[in-house]
Amino acid sequence: MKSRLLSATLGGILSLTGLFAGAAFAEETDLSPEQAGRVRAEKVEEAIALIPKDFKFNTPGKLTVASVPGRLPFATYATDTKTPVGGEPDLAQLVADSLGLELQLIPVAWADWPLGLTSGRFDAVIHNVTVTEERKEKFDFSSYRNDLLGFYVPLDSKVTSIAKPEDVAGLKVIVSAGTNQEQILVRWVEANKAKGLADTEIQYYDDEAVLDTALLSGRADAYLGPNATSAYKAAHQKNTRLVGTFSGGWPETAEIAVATKKDSGLAEAITAALNAQIKNGNYARTLERWNLTAEAITESRTNPPGLPKQ
């Protein structure tokens, strides 16, 4: 059962609440362009040795990386309104440091990164890009996070675990329309119906503040969305908790990776750089800084299996 619950008046009022909440986030999070708390790394000679001798960086001496400022913990603009900061820029810094290069971040719109990478506008893309078999035909990848979805409930909720389709039977679940997680949830609901289990009411909200109020007021039981953004939000607002995670490619495993130009040879060097930072602990400290620990991997891989073509 699907329900679209929208209220322009309530949404307008609660959007103001969301603005105040956003201000509180800014006070608790370092959004300065200097990023004094950012984890830095030493050169990794093994990784540097893997850079092809004929590889030409966009700017000599620099690793030029595309970033998509929009939402934390991935990336947003710093207080100077031009410098991308967040978990993905921090990861880009580790890679650049490992390769003995200065980091140069290029803010782009999400839809523009494939063409920009192909044309050589930047050397790599580091912004929550999921590895897919279709993308692997055009780009190379170096994995650095698991792609996780998360179920979040209010702190006082009686729901303790959502680990399988049967666990959403009889619940009211919020999800964003047109997303991968919506498709997964719909498949879960259909599977439950085939088993004769109670229906799940799927709710949609166009305004995040209205969504939050619906969840915290009890009009909905759970919210399903990208674990990274929900985990960051839960850590700061402290009014929701995680009750289950699963792969963003369910039932397949999905990984987030650095994207580089196909057959450029840079991916192997970046993979070696990432593995060095995983081994020395800098990687873990970087993820912890942005509440991304739940998505940590134990080893970076070049061109791991991607989500199958649709």
Side-chain angles (χ1 to χ4, degrees):
M1 178 181 182
K2 298 184 179 182
S3 173
R4 180 170 292 278
L5 306 176
L6 300 173
S7 170
T9 303
L10 180 59
I13 295 173
L14 292 178
S15 290
L16 294 176
T17 304
L19 289 176
F20 289 123
F25 273 32
E27 290 178 2
E28 298 175 8
T29 304
D30 177 14
L31 296 181
S32 68
E34 297 79 15
Q35 290 295 291
R38 176 177 285 173
V39 180
R40 300 299 297 271
E42 300 295 328
K43 292 182 181 179
V44 178
E45 297 299 337
E46 177 186 352
I48 294 174
L50 291 173
I51 300 174
K53 300 300 182 184
D54 60 348
F55 183 84
K56 294 183 179 180
F57 287 95
N58 178 278
T59 302
K62 296 184 179 181
L63 180 67
T64 304
V65 176
S67 180
V68 186
R71 188 176 184 184
L72 291 173
F74 299 137
T76 189
Y77 281 112
T79 52
D80 65 357
T81 69
K82 63 181 182 181
T83 303
V85 296
E88 304 293 60
D90 276 17
L91 196 286
Q93 185 71 69
L94 284 184
V95 173
D97 286 347
S98 299
L99 299 179
L101 300 168
E102 179 184 344
L103 176 63
Q104 177 172 277
L105 292 170
I106 304 294
V108 300
W110 172 259
D112 294 339
W113 75 257
L115 179 59
L117 185 55
T118 301
S119 66
R121 184 185 174 196
F122 25 81
D123 307 309
V125 178
I126 302 180
H127 192 88
N128 204 47
V129 179
T130 300
V131 182
T132 70
E133 289 303 316
E134 185 173 6
R135 286 174 177 165
K136 282 168 61 178
E137 294 178 355
K138 298 180 180 180
F139 309 103
D140 286 329
F141 293 95
S142 301
S143 60
Y144 65 91
R145 271 196 295 110
N146 286 312
D147 183 1
L148 292 182
L149 298 176
F151 278 101
Y152 282 78
V153 300
L155 290 180
D156 60 355
S157 173
K158 295 181 179 179
V159 178
T160 59
S161 175
I162 299 179
K164 55 187 183 300
E166 292 83 353
D167 293 336
V168 300
L171 298 182
K172 299 176 182 178
V173 181
I174 301 171
V175 73
S176 295
T179 61
N180 186 47
Q181 54 264 31
E182 180 199 20
Q183 295 178 24
I184 293 173
L185 182 60
V186 168
R187 292 204 302 269
W188 282 24
V189 173
E190 291 174 347
N192 287 340
K193 285 182 179 179
K195 296 178 182 178
L197 299 178
D199 194 9
T200 298
E201 180 181 302
I202 301 178
Q203 298 182 2
Y204 301 89
Y205 296 92
D206 291 341
D207 187 291
E208 186 173 359
V210 179
L211 183 160
D212 291 344
T213 298
L215 181 61
L216 297 175
S217 68
R219 292 209 305 273
D221 300 303
Y223 166 68
L224 171 61
N227 184 67
T229 52
S230 294
Y232 182 83
K233 191 173 182 179
H236 284 73
Q237 293 189 340
K238 297 178 172 57
N239 53 17
T240 59
R241 57 183 171 83
L242 176 68
V243 293
T245 60
F246 56 95
S247 174
W250 186 92
E252 306 291 337
T253 298
E255 292 187 77
I256 303 298
V258 179
T260 50
K261 195 172 182 179
K262 187 70 176 177
D263 297 327
S264 67
L266 191 58
E268 290 291 354
I270 292 176
T271 298
L274 288 167
N275 279 324
Q277 301 311 318
I278 290 173
K279 184 176 180 180
N280 67 26
N282 284 335
Y283 167 80
R285 286 190 286 275
T286 295
L287 265 59
E288 183 179 8
R289 185 174 188 232
W290 299 99
N291 300 107
L292 288 165
T293 302
E295 301 190 9
I297 60 174
T298 57
E299 180 185 18
S300 175
R301 298 184 292 170
T302 299
N303 292 326
L307 296 182
K309 294 182 180 180
Q310 297 298 317

